[in-house]
């Protein structure tokens, strides 16, 4: 539980390195928000680990990122896997 009480955002988290990273951060006790444009794969991730919160987000869309960021109070780590 090395990451207990840490809030971490992982982009491109629906598959590949982003997914593996989100899973490992959660396993280490972090509060994870996993983002991706692939909502179907995000839902699969959430079913596998319901402690991971998911949010559809196109990390290449400046306006969408700004709106997403305005909904978050604090972040300890951003893992940008794009």
């Amino acid at each position: 539980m090395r990451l207990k009480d840490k809030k971490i955002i992982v982009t491109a988290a629906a598959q590949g390195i982003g997914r593996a990273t989100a899973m490992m951060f959660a396993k280490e006790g972090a509060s994870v928000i996993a983002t991706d444009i692939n909502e179907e794969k995000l839902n699969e991730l959430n079913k596998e680990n319901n402690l991971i919160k998911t949010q559809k987000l196109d990390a290449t869309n400046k306006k969408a990122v700004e709106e997403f960021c305005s909904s978050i109070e604090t972040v300890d780590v951003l893992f940008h896997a794009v």
Side-chain angles (χ1 to χ4, degrees):
M1 293 294 205
R2 296 180 292 181
L3 298 174
K4 186 174 176 9
D5 300 324
K6 298 294 182 189
K7 189 167 191 176
I8 300 177
I9 296 170
V10 180
T11 65
Q15 52 195 348
I17 291 171
R19 180 186 177 91
T21 302
M23 294 292 286
M24 189 55 78
F25 283 155
K27 183 178 178 181
E28 289 295 330
S31 172
V32 177
I33 301 174
T35 68
D36 201 289
I37 58 173
N38 189 331
E39 198 167 21
E40 182 179 329
K41 292 283 187 183
L42 281 177
N43 290 336
E44 291 174 15
L45 173 63
N46 185 254
K47 286 178 186 174
E48 190 172 334
N49 186 331
N50 64 359
L51 297 176
I52 297 175
K53 295 177 185 169
T54 60
Q55 171 87 29
K56 183 176 179 179
L57 175 68
D58 179 354
T60 66
N61 181 315
K62 181 180 178 184
K63 182 176 169 117
V65 170
E66 288 172 347
E67 288 174 6
F68 172 72
C69 289
S70 70
S71 70
I72 300 170
E73 291 182 29
T74 61
V75 175
D76 295 299
V77 175
L78 169 63
F79 187 89
H80 191 47
V82 173

